[in-house]
């Protein structure tokens, strides 16, 4: 009888995304450099894989619990944007610090936040049965027209083309400094989306050996 050695089942990128393990969350290193070339590699979406059970345990199991934790973070000098986010684990505080820093930038950045309303929203990601990071009050969207979203290009999954970014690098870096990753670095780009994932920023710093 032949001995058959079997490793873990090989899953497609789409399957990994649909049913991510906690290890999958760290499988791709979030690039701290402002390098939009990395995203040309199909399915390079560091931070997009989320283990649903893990997120529900870490943040909130249901909408009511999430709603009870919400606070509003306002930035009068950024087009009067107001975001509803969770106060849990200092998320609101970190966001307020980012918006303060951007409010004090030499140039007027209010255009980036114009018509932005996306903070807390308990919902599934469009076309999936996975909860959006907005459900936990840990994500904010800036101006959708400035930020852009891969699905609006009509590209099929795994074959998204160029992303013509209009968000200044220093804005992205301000978010990253306080623990938020940016969806503009994903192959399936979501350039309006910032999400509180300090573990991925820390992981990237460790992997990159202290360059940042
Ligand atoms: Zn978003």
């Amino acid at each position: 009888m032949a001995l058959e050695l079997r490793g873990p089942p090989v899953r497609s990128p789409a399957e990994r995304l649909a049913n991510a393990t906690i290890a999958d969350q760290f499988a791709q290193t979030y690039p701290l450099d402002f390098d939009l070339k990395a995203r040309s590699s199909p399915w390079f979406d560091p931070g997009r894989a989320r283990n649903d059970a893990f997120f529900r345990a870490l943040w909130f199991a249901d909408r009511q619990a999430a709603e009870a934790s919400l606070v509003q973070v306002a930035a009068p000098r950024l087009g009067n944007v107001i975001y509803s986010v969770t106060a849990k684990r200092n998320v609101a505080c970190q966001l307020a610090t980012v918006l303060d820093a951007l409010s004090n930038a030499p140039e007027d950045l209010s255009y980036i936040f114009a018509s932005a309303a996306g903070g807390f929203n308990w919902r599934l990601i469009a076309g999936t049965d996975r909860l959006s990071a907005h459900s936990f009050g840990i994500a904010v969207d800036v101006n959708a027209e400035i930020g852009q979203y891969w699905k609006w290009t009509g590209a099929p999954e795994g074959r998204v083309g160029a992303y013509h970014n209009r968000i200044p690098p220093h804005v992205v870096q301000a978010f990253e400094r306080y623990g938020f990753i940016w969806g503009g670095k994903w192959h399936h780009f979501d350039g309006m989306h910032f999400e509180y994932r300090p573990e991925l920023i820390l992981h990237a710093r460790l992997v990159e050996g202290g360059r940042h």
Side-chain angles (χ1 to χ4, degrees):
M1 202 172 87
L3 181 67
E4 210 180 321
L5 290 174
R6 285 197 190 139
V10 176
R11 296 172 301 154
S12 72
E15 286 166 339
R16 277 172 182 261
L17 204 59
N19 201 4
T21 65
I22 293 172
D24 287 336
Q25 294 177 183
F26 292 93
Q28 296 173 328
T29 303
Y30 180 81
L32 290 171
D33 284 325
F34 196 83
D35 172 12
L36 298 186
K37 285 192 294 292
R39 64 156 294 280
S40 64
S41 169
W43 300 98
F44 182 76
D45 304 300
R48 197 163 166 249
R50 301 179 198 88
N51 178 284
D52 203 66
F54 176 79
F55 271 71
R56 286 173 188 258
L58 181 65
W59 297 104
F60 306 100
D62 57 54
R63 179 200 297 258
Q64 287 70 27
E67 280 176 352
S69 80
L70 297 177
V71 295
Q72 303 218 308
V73 177
R77 289 165 64 188
L78 297 174
N80 242 331
V81 71
I82 300 176
Y83 287 117
S84 200
V85 292
T86 184
K88 193 168 181 174
R89 300 200 170 87
N90 288 333
V91 174
C93 182
Q94 294 295 92
L95 177 64
T97 308
V98 174
L99 298 183
D100 265 358
L102 297 178
S103 297
N104 291 320
E107 75 271 41
D108 180 6
L109 296 169
S110 54
Y111 70 99
I112 294 173
F113 295 89
S115 324
F120 169 77
N121 185 1
W122 188 273
R123 64 170 170 85
L124 300 177
I125 298 169
T128 75
D129 57 2
R130 290 176 288 124
L131 277 174
S132 154
H134 289 277
S135 305
F136 306 109
I138 61 169
V140 295
D141 292 335
V142 299
N143 182 313
E145 206 181 305
I146 300 283
Q148 309 165 58
Y149 185 47
W150 71 275
K151 275 192 179 165
W152 299 340
T153 69
E157 266 199 310
R159 286 172 51 201
V160 183
Y163 169 45
H164 303 291
N165 169 50
R166 291 163 64 191
I167 300 191
H170 76 89
V171 171
V172 172
Q173 282 150 2
F175 274 97
E176 289 173 347
R177 189 169 301 131
Y178 297 101
F180 292 81
I181 61 166
W182 177 46
K185 290 182 175 177
W186 297 342
H187 179 74
H188 299 87
F189 64 84
D190 187 351
M192 71 183 105
H193 182 86
F194 291 91
E195 176 175 333
Y196 191 63
R197 302 292 294 281
E199 79 283 12
L200 296 186
I201 304 273
L202 178 61
H203 180 243
R205 285 190 185 136
L206 293 171
V207 167
E208 290 187 356
R211 279 198 298 119
H212 291 272

